[in-house]
Amino acid sequence: MFEKFNAAGRRTVILAQEEARMLSHDRIGPEHLILGAFNARDSAAHAVLEEAGLSLETAREAVEALAPVASETISGAIPFTPAARRALEKATSLAGEARAPVGPDFILLGILGTAAEEDPALRMLAAINLPAGPLRLRLNEVTATP
């Protein structure tokens, strides 16, 4: 799956895994991918999230409040939740339509385009007053993506 990702896109996924591990979570969800995209400082995803008022500390606190801590120490690869896989598949599809590699911007668009109302990523964004719709519109504006 990751062969269509550019270096920044792969780094976003690695950062999401690191965030999940740091928070003692045993799965990588879309909310961790948002943290990874926010950490991609040279991306439109980072700029849009920062412009909307997101801080890494606030986002981490919101993710921590939503997801249970693993009962044991996590080692090795951390699996993706079905919602995270859907978001990455959507990101790959959007990047394919744009004939571009998958980077942090497409990953964030994939999350915002596939998240269901009960999704932890949307609950995390709602908890910090960042509605997904306006974020998606702004990211589309900045990246000129349909």
Side-chain angles (χ1 to χ4, degrees), residues 32-91:
H32 299 102
L33 290 170
I34 289 173
L35 293 174
F38 187 78
N39 277 311
R41 301 220 182 267
D42 293 335
S43 69
H46 174 83
V48 167
L49 290 168
E50 188 173 61
E51 176 184 289
L54 184 69
S55 74
L56 190 54
E57 183 177 305
T58 302
R60 278 186 184 140
E61 288 171 2
V63 171
E64 198 169 24
L66 290 173
V69 173
S71 58
E72 55 189 53
T73 304
I74 308 301
S75 62
I78 301 174
F80 292 99
T81 65
R85 282 194 300 275
R86 279 191 304 275
L88 293 172
E89 288 166 2
K90 178 71 171 178

Side-chain angles (χ1 to χ4, degrees), residues 59-124:
R60 278 186 184 140
E61 288 171 2
V63 171
E64 198 169 24
L66 290 173
V69 173
S71 58
E72 55 189 53
T73 304
I74 308 301
S75 62
I78 301 174
F80 292 99
T81 65
R85 282 194 300 275
R86 279 191 304 275
L88 293 172
E89 288 166 2
K90 178 71 171 178
T92 302
S93 174
L94 291 169
E97 290 171 15
R99 296 191 172 150
V102 180
D105 306 337
F106 284 113
I107 292 171
L108 184 56
L109 283 170
I111 294 164
L112 297 173
T114 61
E117 198 170 304
E118 70 281 355
D119 190 292
L122 288 190
R123 291 194 343 250
M124 183 266 285

